[in-house]
């Protein structure tokens, strides 16, 4: 069968890499892809913000299944259009994607369906922000309501700072339309957890959990990013906690969306904070996380295409496939200045020296006659597996040190907390 993957980042490279392992897959296309993906799939030019462009690509490739990687095509309604045409597609509809595209919708949805989440206030103006602030204790989380590429969350240390950040968001100067409405949220303490499930609109099948590192700096300092690395290991949660998360979060979300007329098919990413009060939902994503996909998919031993097809067709069994007991660590190599402004076009050296078992997923990298050059904020994700988390981490960083490009930035502290205390509360 032929498969089309929509997107151009490290997540999509991981999907392409995993799909190529299926004995049932004869051809993988990626639109628009990137320089690294082009070595493993046929890349087709496309504008992921345009449904018409993606329809044209599908007419050209004639895939048996299309897999949507990033959030933008989902919010534009590409799944709705493909479904209308009778084309098999993996991903939620535009209406179901509101769980990600609108923080206020997600918050009110969780309240309606009694899904645990931090206390919040939805504000459409600075006056509403000032009215709500007395009900919060600093630090206060300020979130843009709309999509902001992982950069629409600020943890304000004081109420004055929260008001200032909210004002900037609401004015449109900070994030454009994404900040036209803001959500103030209680700031929780604990360990973050990325918990993903497949859904066919009724049933859910959990994937292995992961932990993302969103801050740019070591020790979780500096601004939030799209993700500076992640890890996944069998000890991150136990079976009892996994079942609790399925019962109290994943299933209620899928059942609630169906009850409200927006059946959810695809992968649901639950961004959680594991607190002393129990797990709390910070956010939903309606697609594979990036960089979580890069560390979760290498642990999957089951044929990925079978799971994607079952979810798309409404035939999912409540089983998550087979997973290796090995741990994985993925380190993001970014351009200096990310998540702000950064320069590109720098040669990437050392890729030919990477150990064979270490995976290199390209994101902001482009091919040129001499090899690869930087072309984005997050450039590469290097992923290593090991029999222990310590072994995986050592292998990952040993190979990170073999790669070079001007301004290369990365964190050296990934998975440290897991190695020191190998179980979340």
């Amino acid at each position: 069968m032929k498969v089309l993957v929509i997107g151009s980042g490290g997540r999509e490279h991981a999907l392409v890499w995993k799909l190529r392992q299926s004995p049932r897959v004869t051809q993988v296309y990626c639109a628009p892809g990137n320089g690294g993906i082009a070595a493993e799939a046929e890349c087709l030019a496309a504008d992921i913000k345009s449904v018409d462009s993606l329809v044209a690509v599908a007419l050209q490739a004639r895939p048996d299944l299309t897999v949507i990687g990033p959030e933008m095509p989902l919010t534009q309604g590409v799944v709705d259009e493909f479904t209308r045409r009778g084309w098999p597609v993996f991903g939620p509809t535009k209406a179901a994607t509101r769980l990600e595209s609108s923080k206020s919708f997600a918050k009110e949805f969780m309240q309606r369906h009694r899904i645990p989440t931090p206390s919040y206030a939805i504000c459409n103006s600075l006056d509403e922000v000032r009215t709500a602030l007395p009900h919060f204790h600093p630090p206060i989380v300020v979130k843009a309501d709309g999509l902001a590429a992982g950069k629409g969350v600020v943890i304000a240390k004081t109420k004055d700072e929260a008001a200032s950040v909210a004002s900037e968001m609401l004015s449109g100067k900070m994030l454009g339309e994404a900040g036209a409405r803001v959500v103030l949220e209680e700031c929780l303490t604990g360990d973050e957890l990325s918990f993903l499930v497949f859904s066919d609109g009724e049933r859910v099948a959990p994937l292995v959990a992961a932990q993302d590192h969103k801050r740019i700096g070591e020790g979780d300092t500096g601004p939030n990013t799209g993700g500076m690395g992640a890890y996944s290991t069998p000890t991150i949660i136990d079976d009892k906690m996994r079942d609790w998360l399925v019962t109290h979060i994943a299933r209620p979300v899928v059942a609630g969306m169906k009850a409200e007329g927006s059946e959810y098919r695809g992968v649901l990413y639950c961004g959680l904070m594991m607190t002393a009060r129990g797990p709390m939902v910070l956010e939903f994503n309606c697609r594979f996380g990036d960089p979580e996909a890069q560390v979760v998919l290498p642990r999957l031993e089951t044929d990925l295409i079978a799971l994607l097809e079952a979810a798309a067709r409404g035939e999912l069994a409540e089983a998550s496939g087979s997973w290796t007991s090995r741990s994985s660590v993925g380190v993001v190599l970014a351009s200096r200045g990310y998540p702000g402004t950064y320069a590109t076009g720098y040669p990437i050296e050392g890729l030919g020296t990477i150990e064979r078992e270490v995976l290199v997923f390209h994101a902001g990298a482009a091919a040129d006659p001499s090899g690869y050059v930087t072309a984005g904020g997050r450039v590469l994700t290097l992923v290593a597996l090991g029999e222990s988390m310590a072994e995986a981490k050592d292998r990952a960083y040993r190979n990170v040190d073999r790669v070079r490009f001007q301004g290369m930035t990365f964190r050296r502290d990934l998975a440290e907390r897991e190695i020191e205390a190998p179980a979340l509360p």
Side-chain angles (χ1 to χ4, degrees):
M1 64 183 294
K2 298 187 293 184
V3 183
L4 170 62
V5 176
I6 302 297
S8 61
R11 165 185 48 224
E12 288 74 39
H13 195 174
L15 284 165
V16 165
W17 167 81
K18 193 64 182 179
L19 288 166
R20 286 186 72 244
Q21 296 175 15
S22 172
R24 296 177 53 213
V25 174
T26 56
Q27 176 72 52
V28 180
Y29 300 96
C30 191
N34 62 41
I37 293 175
E40 302 191 58
E42 183 178 339
C43 291
L44 304 172
D47 177 1
I48 64 169
K49 297 179 181 179
S50 166
V51 173
D52 288 344
S53 176
L54 297 177
V55 166
V57 167
L59 286 170
Q60 176 185 353
R62 297 288 180 180
D64 298 294
L65 179 68
T66 298
V67 182
I68 312 298
E71 62 273 25
M72 186 57 69
L74 298 173
T75 64
Q76 298 300 311
V78 69
V79 170
D80 307 67
E81 181 60 22
F82 277 38
T83 301
R84 186 185 71 80
R85 292 169 176 264
W87 298 345
V89 59
F90 178 82
T93 63
K94 182 177 181 178
T97 305
R98 287 178 295 167
L99 285 170
E100 177 173 4
S101 63
S102 173
K103 298 290 193 300
S104 59
F105 173 84
K107 281 295 200 178
E108 291 173 334
F109 175 86
M110 285 187 277
Q111 186 175 51
R112 287 195 297 274
H113 296 279
R114 299 181 180 180
I115 296 167
T117 190
S119 60
Y120 67 96
I122 298 169
C123 303
N124 296 285
S125 67
L126 189 55
D127 284 343
E128 290 182 8
V129 170
R130 288 173 175 147
T131 299
L133 278 174
H135 300 285
F136 291 85
H137 297 287
I140 301 165
V141 183
V142 184
K143 294 183 175 181
D145 181 60
L147 296 173
K151 302 164 192 172
V153 179
V154 175
I155 300 175
K157 295 179 182 178
T158 66
K159 292 182 181 181
D160 286 345
E161 183 185 357
S164 176
V165 169
S167 176
E168 241 189 306
M169 287 184 180
L170 289 164
S171 72
K173 295 177 183 177
M174 187 174 181
L175 297 166
E177 291 183 8
R181 175 183 295 162
V182 300
V183 176
L184 304 182
E185 190 175 82
E186 168 192 12
C187 187
L188 302 177
T189 57
D191 283 309
E192 289 195 43
L193 183 76
S194 301
F195 184 70
L196 291 79
V197 299
F198 289 128
S199 171
D200 67 355
E202 185 174 347
R203 291 163 291 271
V204 301
L207 286 69
V208 292
Q211 187 172 93
D212 184 14
H213 293 65
K214 292 192 184 334
R215 298 292 193 96
I216 187 69
E218 293 174 11
D220 291 328
T221 58
N224 276 324
T225 71
M228 289 301 293
Y231 67 83
S232 179
T233 181
T235 60
I236 197 167
I237 55 171
D238 59 22
D239 292 347
K240 184 177 179 181
M241 177 56 71
R242 178 200 63 207
D243 293 343
W244 192 97
L245 296 174
V246 168
T247 301
H248 296 279
I249 295 176
R251 281 198 191 117
V253 170
V254 172
M257 293 301 288
K258 184 174 183 179
E260 295 187 10
S262 301
E263 186 177 71
Y264 193 100
R265 293 190 183 188
V267 63
L268 175 68
Y269 169 116
C270 306
L272 309 173
M273 183 70 81
M274 310 299 279
T275 77
R277 291 149 50 191
M280 308 279 276
V281 178
L282 299 179
E283 65 173 353
F284 292 118
N285 289 338
C286 297
R287 31 77 191 190
F288 287 98
D290 184 342
E292 289 92 345
Q294 292 94 302
V295 297
V296 167
L297 291 176
R299 294 190 59 209
L300 178 63
E301 295 179 326
T302 302
D303 189 343
L304 175 62
I305 197 69
L307 295 170
L308 300 183
E309 278 190 306
R313 290 175 177 173
E315 302 170 354
L316 189 67
E318 293 199 355
S320 54
S322 175
W323 300 86
T324 179
S325 61
R326 302 176 79 196
S327 298
S328 57
V329 173
V331 184
V332 170
L333 308 184
S335 298
R336 181 186 293 128
Y338 175 78
T341 57
Y342 50 83
T344 60
Y346 299 120
I348 302 171
E349 301 175 343
L351 293 179
T353 68
I354 299 297
E355 295 173 25
R356 286 184 59 187
E357 289 190 355
V358 174
L359 305 168
V360 181
F361 295 123
H362 291 237
D368 81 348
S370 62
Y372 295 101
V373 297
T374 64
R378 291 186 293 176
V379 179
L380 304 168
T381 307
L382 266 60
V383 180
L385 283 83
E387 298 304 320
S388 66
M389 179 56 66
E391 181 183 347
K393 180 185 175 185
D394 289 346
R395 181 172 292 149
Y397 280 110
R398 183 166 70 239
N399 284 272
V400 164
D401 288 336
R402 301 181 181 188
V403 180
R404 299 172 302 281
F405 58 82
Q406 187 169 325
M408 188 172 89
T409 300
F410 61 95
R411 286 181 57 164
R412 281 202 176 270
D413 62 344
L414 301 190
E416 279 186 0
R417 285 174 295 179
E418 178 67 22
I419 293 170
E420 295 168 1
L424 290 170

